[in-house]
Amino acid sequence: MKKVLLLILVSVLSSVMLFGCKKNDASSADTLIVGTNPEFPPFEYIEQGNIVGFDVDLMNEVSKIIGKKVVFKNMAFDSLLIAMQTGKINCIISGMTATDERRQHVNFSMPYFVSKQAVIVPDGSDIQKFEDLKGKKIGVVIGYTGDMVVTDMYKDTSSITRYEATGQAIMALSAKKVDATVLDMEPAKEYVANNEGLKVLDTALAEEEYSIALPKDNTALLDEINKALQTMKENGTYDKIYSKYFNK
């Protein structure tokens, strides 16, 4: 999903080097502070003032298995990595993909979800496939995979409008400020279901794996989380959570 661009990652690391990493003030013996950006339904979103979603349920079960209380922190997506680097959170679950570039700086759990990119267009649009985006006005969310994919494939970045939040990109599409928006498949389906006049094109583009991100120096927590995820897949807990959000 949500991918921080390499430029953003470099900025994060530069900030850490400039200001220094303070001691992890998020850690404790029985509490896990988890950063997330709840603008990515059905993985994480706000419902009646609470952060809920597939990722949230998954992390709640992980915390039970490893014997820790979990506290979720609502943060801007492009601030999650710096928050973890400076010790404000212990880990990140926010539809984040484990890219090779990012692996140089953070650890990732075993994958817990496979996604791909989708194109959202208004009803009646002449855009039928990803290649039809050439020459069109395209909306993307800063740091998301759609941002990277569109930027890589279409060098004329003047036609790309980048938004800070998914909701902004969808509103711009509904208002015809852009011709299409590129977003991860499952969130795309959720937004289309709740915004009349839009439809999803299945492009089967940029398949990716979501993982939980952790600091490089906390391999013990990484091992615990991986074992918990494996246990959930073996005992059926993962399938139960998956069915709740995706087998509708």
Side-chain angles (χ1 to χ4, degrees), residues 78-164:
D78 60 3
S79 71
L80 288 169
L81 288 178
I82 187 65
M84 188 168 71
Q85 292 284 350
T86 54
K88 292 182 175 63
I89 56 177
N90 300 122
C91 61
I92 299 165
I93 188 165
S94 197
M96 184 174 283
T97 299
T99 63
D100 290 338
E101 291 86 356
R102 194 173 292 113
R103 285 185 186 279
Q104 298 177 32
H105 309 288
V106 301
N107 283 331
F108 282 100
S109 71
M110 61 187 291
Y112 66 82
F113 195 88
V114 177
S115 183
K116 57 186 175 182
Q117 293 300 291
V119 178
I120 308 174
V121 296
D123 291 338
S125 171
D126 61 351
I127 299 172
Q128 301 297 321
K129 55 186 181 300
F130 192 85
E131 290 73 19
D132 294 341
L133 292 176
K134 188 172 183 179
K136 303 291 187 179
K137 295 179 181 178
I138 310 166
V140 297
V141 183
I142 296 172
Y144 281 26
T145 302
D147 187 358
M148 292 190 293
V149 170
V150 171
T151 301
D152 287 344
M153 295 188 71
Y154 299 100
K155 303 306 179 184
D156 180 14
T157 57
S158 63
S159 64
I160 303 171
T161 302
R162 295 177 173 86
Y163 297 94
E164 294 183 357

Side-chain angles (χ1 to χ4, degrees), residues 227-246:
K227 289 177 182 177
L229 289 172
Q230 187 61 42
T231 296
M232 291 169 62
K233 289 187 175 183
E234 291 174 353
N235 67 16
T237 303
Y238 177 90
D239 290 339
K240 183 178 179 180
I241 297 173
Y242 184 96
S243 294
K244 175 181 176 181
Y245 291 94
F246 303 110

Side-chain angles (χ1 to χ4, degrees), residues 34-220:
V34 181
T36 192
N37 173 235
E39 289 220 14
F40 203 62
F43 294 94
E44 41 268 326
Y45 56 100
I46 300 294
E47 185 174 86
Q48 296 181 348
N50 299 313
I51 302 175
V52 298
F54 177 82
D55 283 356
V56 175
D57 286 4
L58 192 77
M59 204 69 213
N60 279 328
E61 290 298 326
V62 166
S63 68
K64 290 178 185 178
I65 294 173
I66 66 178
K68 290 182 181 290
K69 175 184 175 182
V70 64
V71 175
F72 292 95
K73 292 292 185 181
N74 181 346
M75 311 182 77
F77 187 75
D78 60 3
S79 71
L80 288 169
L81 288 178
I82 187 65
M84 188 168 71
Q85 292 284 350
T86 54
K88 292 182 175 63
I89 56 177
N90 300 122
C91 61
I92 299 165
I93 188 165
S94 197
M96 184 174 283
T97 299
T99 63
D100 290 338
E101 291 86 356
R102 194 173 292 113
R103 285 185 186 279
Q104 298 177 32
H105 309 288
V106 301
N107 283 331
F108 282 100
S109 71
M110 61 187 291
Y112 66 82
F113 195 88
V114 177
S115 183
K116 57 186 175 182
Q117 293 300 291
V119 178
I120 308 174
V121 296
D123 291 338
S125 171
D126 61 351
I127 299 172
Q128 301 297 321
K129 55 186 181 300
F130 192 85
E131 290 73 19
D132 294 341
L133 292 176
K134 188 172 183 179
K136 303 291 187 179
K137 295 179 181 178
I138 310 166
V140 297
V141 183
I142 296 172
Y144 281 26
T145 302
D147 187 358
M148 292 190 293
V149 170
V150 171
T151 301
D152 287 344
M153 295 188 71
Y154 299 100
K155 303 306 179 184
D156 180 14
T157 57
S158 63
S159 64
I160 303 171
T161 302
R162 295 177 173 86
Y163 297 94
E164 294 183 357
T166 310
Q168 293 175 357
I170 298 299
M171 288 178 62
L173 180 60
S174 294
K176 302 188 184 307
K177 293 181 179 179
V178 294
D179 299 309
T181 294
V182 179
L183 190 64
D184 294 58
M185 177 59 73
E186 296 303 330
K189 291 178 182 177
E190 290 283 330
Y191 277 102
V192 165
N194 291 287
N195 289 271
E196 189 176 351
L198 302 179
K199 63 181 180 179
V200 177
L201 304 181
D202 186 348
T203 64
L205 183 74
E207 188 171 284
E208 56 194 339
E209 295 177 328
Y210 297 168
S211 296
I212 300 168
L214 302 101
K216 273 287 189 181
D217 60 358
N218 200 342
T219 56

